Amino acid sequence: MRSMWMLVAAFMFAGMGVLVKLGAAYFSSTELVFYRSLFGAWITYLILRFYRLSIRTPHWRIHCWRGVTGLVSLLMFFYCLTQLPLATAVSLNYTWPLFAALFSTLILKEHIHWSLVVTVILGFMGVMLLLRPTVPDDQWFSGVMGIASGFFAAIAYINVKQLGNLGETEWHVVFYFTLISTVLTGVWLLFTSFSPITGHGLLLLLGIGLAATLAQLAMTRAYHQGITLVVSSLGYSTVLFSSLWGIWFWNEILSPVAWLGMGLIVAGGLFSGILGFKLTPAVTSK
């Protein structure tokens, strides 16, 4: 059940994706990352002060590594959202659970359970059936960036798991990630330019920041307390929520193949939850 926090994160990440796509008409991808991170850093700092938690950490090296890899992934993903169709960008980014499944064995030394690996693959098959992405010949660079965003996201999520094992709270993990992202993108924008902020644009930025911060907190708790492969499988539900957002806002009509893909995603998440519950005693998590 601890891994189910990823469902909350998935719902919020899907909402963030919709808002980013809308915000691309007003801001560059770097600006969207900057404002998203600035909002998150401000909110988590206030929460840390409210609970009188120290901001200092002895694990600053891992925080820096998590911050840099997470920022690289986020910049690539936001760039893809502004350059590619939403379905293509999301599906390319969601190669990260496959990378995370590999890294959890190589880096975290978690014992590999092939039944859980199968559920991850099952979920990815659902993603491909649901989104059926295509990359035009003149957009292969954006496509490679999308896959690279999944690679770096997997490293960042493994770092989140490591920080959880070291006893870092989700507040500290999110705070340092958003702080590093804000500083680095802010410095970059100082040497480029900022777009003017309209009333509509401000609302989009606030929505992106709020959704991203809540998603980060839920995702961090999931990786702190859950089993890595189970959380990775549940991450596919972001695609399911994105499809529902599309129906609600744009009246998108899904084909039978798309519904089959959604069914595979749900099945993969449910099977991973059941298997993860049974395998919990054999896996060290915190």
Side-chain angles (χ1 to χ4, degrees):
M1 293 301 296
R2 294 175 180 178
S3 300
M4 295 302 171
W5 277 103
M6 193 61 193
L7 289 177
V8 178
F11 179 80
M12 301 309 300
F13 276 131
M16 182 199 72
V18 173
L19 294 173
V20 167
K21 192 70 175 177
L22 295 173
Y26 301 91
F27 308 99
S28 68
S29 57
T30 303
E31 287 177 302
L32 291 172
V33 172
F34 170 75
Y35 290 117
R36 168 206 187 280
S37 302
L38 179 63
F39 184 92
W42 179 66
I43 290 296
T44 50
Y45 174 78
L46 292 179
I47 292 174
L48 287 171
R49 302 314 300 170
F50 177 79
Y51 287 106
R52 298 181 179 180
L53 298 175
S54 174
I55 298 178
R56 295 183 179 181
T57 175
H59 310 298
W60 60 270
R61 288 185 179 86
I62 301 180
H63 278 294
C64 288
W65 186 244
R66 184 269 187 273
V68 172
T69 54
L71 174 59
V72 171
S73 172
L74 196 61
L75 286 169
M76 291 178 173
F77 179 47
F78 276 31
Y79 172 80
C80 289
L81 285 174
T82 61
Q83 300 296 318
L84 297 174
L86 180 60
T88 304
V90 171
S91 62
L92 290 175
N93 177 257
Y94 263 75
T95 55
W96 71 259
L98 300 180
F99 291 119
L102 175 63
F103 294 154
S104 65
T105 302
L106 298 179
I107 300 177
L108 298 182
K109 307 300 181 183
E110 291 185 356
H111 181 66
I112 187 169
H113 297 280
W114 291 107
S115 54
L116 282 178
V117 174
V118 170
T119 64
V120 175
I121 296 175
L122 181 66
F124 186 69
M125 289 174 59
V127 171
M128 301 307 294
L129 284 175
L130 176 61
L131 299 180
R132 293 169 295 164
T134 57
V135 179
D137 294 336
D138 60 344
Q139 294 183 333
W140 273 104
F141 175 76
S142 300
V144 172
M145 292 283 281
I147 297 175
S149 73
F151 177 85
F152 283 102
I155 298 177
Y157 292 145
I158 293 299
N159 293 147
V160 169
K161 185 68 175 180
Q162 290 176 318
L163 288 168
N165 291 336
L166 292 171
E168 287 286 72
T169 68
E170 56 264 30
W171 303 112
H172 286 90
V173 174
V174 175
F175 171 71
Y176 280 106
F177 168 59
T178 53
L179 178 64
I180 292 172
S181 298
T182 301
V183 172
L184 294 181
T185 53
V187 171
W188 173 262
L189 289 172
L190 286 176
F191 291 95
T192 55
S193 61
F194 284 89
S195 302
I197 300 178
T198 63
H200 189 215
L202 178 61
L203 290 177
L204 289 173
L205 292 176
L206 292 176
I208 292 171
L210 180 61
T213 301
L214 294 177
Q216 281 287 324
L217 291 172
M219 181 274 296
T220 302
R221 175 160 293 187
Y223 272 95
H224 275 192
Q225 302 178 356
I227 301 173
T228 303
L229 286 180
V230 177
V231 176
S232 298
S233 294
L234 292 176
Y236 285 120
S237 58
T238 301
V239 182
L240 174 62
F241 290 129
S242 297
S243 301
L244 295 177
W245 282 124
I247 295 173
W248 179 264
F249 285 106
W250 295 290
N251 195 30
E252 296 176 347
I253 304 300
L254 299 178
S255 67
V257 174
W259 284 108
L260 175 61
M262 292 173 63
L264 289 176
I265 294 169
V266 173
L270 291 176
F271 289 150
S272 68
I274 295 172
L275 292 171
F277 178 78
K278 292 180 178 179
L279 294 173
T280 298
V283 180
T284 300
S285 62
K286 190 173 183 179

